[in-house]
Amino acid sequence: MTDEPKRPEPPLTGDERTQLNGFLDFLRATVVWKCSGLTDEQARRALVPSELTTVAGLLGHLTLVEQYWFNVVLNGQEDLWKEALETDPDAEFRVAMQTPIEQLIAVYEAECERSREIVAGMDLDDKVPFRGDREVNVRFVVAHMVEETGRHAGHLDLLREMIDGLTGE
């Protein structure tokens, strides 16, 4: 991992869409930075009581939530994880523990790119059906992903410091 991460700074001015996407892309790049340069063993190392809260596990989870919220919810595609998650609610964490970290990073980055493409074709006020008779708009999904990605970027920050002492926002 480089000491100087290459992350897009969120814009200080701009409309709501520009700023939401800016913060989400900053956090996505932070996730990639915190996961880069580790061995598979380091990425799978359990450092907290939850054996699934590892760099690899969190990256697998973040890939799943990108896929779910953008491709399934907003884009209406089939939920490829539905059956696995019904059998094991932590399936994405467990699968990630068996996947090389470089592959996890590549899949995460590809999923983020697909998410960007989906959102680019929609307005923040666009609504889609959600879990039965409810609706959700694009603004909620993007704001939720800022929160979700930010929370797990914080977890990754702590794990990375415990693995090799590297710190930084």
Side-chain angles (χ1 to χ4, degrees), residues 28 66 68-72 74-75 115 118-119 141 145:
R28 287 167 169 157
E66 284 278 343
Y68 175 75
W69 283 103
F70 292 102
N71 199 44
V72 175
L74 292 183
N75 204 30
S115 298
I118 291 167
V119 168
V141 171
M145 287 303 297

Side-chain angles (χ1 to χ4, degrees), residues 19 28 69 88-89 96 98 116-118 143 149:
Q19 291 189 309
R28 287 167 169 157
W69 283 103
D88 177 3
Q98 305 304 315
R116 283 185 205 94
E117 291 169 5
I118 291 167
T149 307

Side-chain angles (χ1 to χ4, degrees), residues 1-166:
M1 178 163 89
T2 175
D3 291 341
E4 296 295 325
K6 293 180 180 152
R7 300 176 292 176
E9 286 293 324
L12 297 175
T13 62
D15 63 13
E16 179 183 20
R17 177 187 205 92
T18 300
Q19 291 189 309
L20 283 171
N21 286 332
F23 273 99
L24 184 52
D25 281 339
F26 175 81
L27 291 167
R28 287 167 169 157
T30 300
V31 166
V32 170
W33 176 47
K34 294 295 175 172
C35 296
S36 295
L38 296 173
T39 66
D40 291 335
E41 184 276 324
Q42 288 171 318
R44 296 175 185 150
R45 193 179 297 164
L47 299 165
V48 297
S50 169
E51 66 183 23
L52 298 176
T53 304
T54 64
V55 170
L58 288 169
L59 190 53
H61 173 69
L62 283 167
T63 302
L64 168 74
V65 295
E66 284 278 343
Q67 187 269 335
Y68 175 75
W69 283 103
F70 292 102
N71 199 44
V72 175
V73 173
L74 292 183
N75 204 30
Q77 297 301 306
E78 179 184 354
D79 185 352
L80 302 176
W81 281 92
K82 185 177 181 180
E83 190 174 309
L85 292 170
E86 286 172 354
T87 303
D88 177 3
D90 296 319
E92 78 275 23
F93 289 90
R94 292 184 208 290
V95 168
M97 295 293 283
Q98 305 304 315
T99 307
I101 188 64
E102 292 302 321
Q103 182 180 345
L104 289 171
I105 292 169
V107 171
Y108 176 71
E109 290 181 310
E111 200 62 52
C112 291
E113 184 56 35
R114 179 166 44 172
S115 298
R116 283 185 205 94
E117 291 169 5
I118 291 167
V119 168
M122 303 178 85
D123 291 329
L124 292 177
D125 289 325
D126 286 353
K127 295 177 185 173
V128 296
F130 184 65
R131 296 182 181 166
D133 62 349
R134 299 187 298 167
E135 290 182 318
V136 64
N137 66 17
V138 175
R139 179 180 290 100
F140 174 89
V141 171
V142 176
H144 171 67
M145 287 303 297
V146 168
E147 175 273 329
E148 179 91 10
T149 307
R151 180 166 32 105
H152 294 309
H155 295 140
L156 289 166
D157 191 38
L158 291 171
L159 293 172
R160 186 61 191 250
E161 184 174 357
M162 293 169 76
I163 290 169
D164 64 7
L166 193 126

